[in-house]
Amino acid sequence: MRRCVVLIILACLNLFPTGLWSDVNDGRIIISRQDKTIDVFVTLPGDMLEQLTGTGVDFLTNDDGKIDLNSFRVDTAPLGDRAFAPVIFGVGGDIVDAQAIALMMHAKDDKVPFDTPWDALTAVTLCIAPEDAGPAPLAQVQAYVGLSLYPVAGMEDLHISFPQTHRADMRFDVLTFVDGSLVSHGPRVLPDGGTLTFEGALIELRVPGHALWLIMCLVVALFGGVLWRSGVMAKTQTF
């Protein structure tokens, strides 16, 4: 019986979004909400950053168009502000300022974790490139950007509007956290010049889907245990 319970719990834990996102997605967005703050973290291939924001990436590259990863060891918040300057952020019915936390470029082969707000904060602020790393083509790097909206009503609807850049639709894996707890996870499609809207009015009242599955699995396991124990006791009394 114990083995059955363990197997059920492990199966439920597989519902948690860990590891790299599916290859069908172009990138991942993490929304981290608190009472008066909304942090937005975005990662996508380096050669897609300009397509997303409409800002040319010449200010990030060398004359040959390659990225010097070690150049991101300094304060990179101004780079994030410049890259996302054309993007409009709204909370509730108001347009708000988004201040960049940092912008970072990592080699794709590094497979930097990006599953939680803490992962994301580390990814955008910590340069892990070896000091002897040579310049890399944009196609071989992954861009990571963090932006903070403060002070705002952290549980209101969030709108992020992107400029038209004559690109194809982009698909993002989106994770939303409230006070550090995951409350939603799923894919979102962003058309050219489109707006991503994240509902927030009732978000803190929702129970994460994986948590519901885990609760259901535990109830089934416990109920099965009761039935099994009752059967054993019945057989014992018979003898």
Side-chain angles (χ1 to χ4, degrees):
M1 181 60 196
R2 291 181 179 178
R3 176 178 173 81
C4 292
V5 173
V6 171
L7 290 176
I8 291 173
I9 293 175
L10 289 176
C12 292
L13 291 177
N14 285 335
L15 296 171
F16 286 76
T18 57
L20 294 179
W21 53 92
S22 169
D23 290 338
V24 301
N25 295 311
D26 295 306
R28 172 171 278 185
I29 297 175
I30 292 179
I31 308 295
S32 179
R33 295 176 178 270
Q34 296 182 1
D35 185 39
K36 295 183 180 180
T37 306
I38 301 177
D39 292 331
V40 179
F41 298 96
V42 182
T43 183
L44 76 168
D47 55 0
M48 296 183 70
L49 182 61
E50 182 174 349
Q51 300 174 43
L52 177 67
T53 69
T55 300
V57 294
D58 294 348
F59 68 101
L60 298 174
T61 64
N62 298 331
D63 293 339
D64 59 2
K66 293 184 178 181
I67 293 284
D68 180 4
L69 297 178
N70 278 292
S71 68
F72 291 84
R73 295 186 184 278
V74 297
D75 176 23
T76 60
L79 302 180
D81 285 329
R82 183 170 176 180
F84 271 73
V87 180
I88 299 173
F89 292 81
V91 176
D94 300 322
I95 295 176
V96 299
D97 290 331
Q99 300 295 322
I101 299 171
L103 181 152
M104 188 62 60
M105 293 287 191
H106 294 291
K108 284 185 177 179
D109 291 342
D110 288 335
K111 301 185 185 304
V112 176
F114 202 81
D115 297 314
T116 67
W118 177 251
D119 285 342
L121 183 61
T122 303
V124 303
T125 57
L126 183 62
C127 178
I128 61 173
E131 293 186 0
D132 59 352
L138 270 174
Q140 295 179 11
V141 301
Q142 187 81 4
Y144 297 81
V145 185
L147 304 111
S148 185
L149 286 59
Y150 175 85
V152 297
M155 302 304 160
E156 290 290 332
D157 290 353
L158 170 65
H159 310 275
I160 309 178
S161 299
F162 295 85
Q164 187 174 29
T165 60
H166 307 288
R167 57 166 173 79
D169 291 351
M170 288 186 177
R171 182 183 173 96
F172 288 92
D173 184 43
V174 179
L175 289 78
T176 300
F177 292 79
V178 173
D179 293 328
S181 297
L182 179 67
V183 297
S184 67
H185 176 215
R188 298 290 294 271
V189 176
L190 176 64
D192 185 25
T195 296
L196 290 175
T197 296
F198 306 95
E199 295 181 0
L202 300 176
I203 200 164
E204 57 186 342
L205 300 179
R206 298 174 185 167
V207 178
H210 64 265
L212 288 175
W213 274 105
L214 183 57
I215 292 171
M216 291 173 62
C217 291
L218 289 174
V219 169
V220 170
L222 290 173
F223 183 68
V226 171
L227 292 178
W228 175 79
R229 184 177 179 84
S230 298
V232 172
M233 292 180 65
K235 290 180 179 179
T236 302
Q237 292 175 359
T238 300
F239 288 106

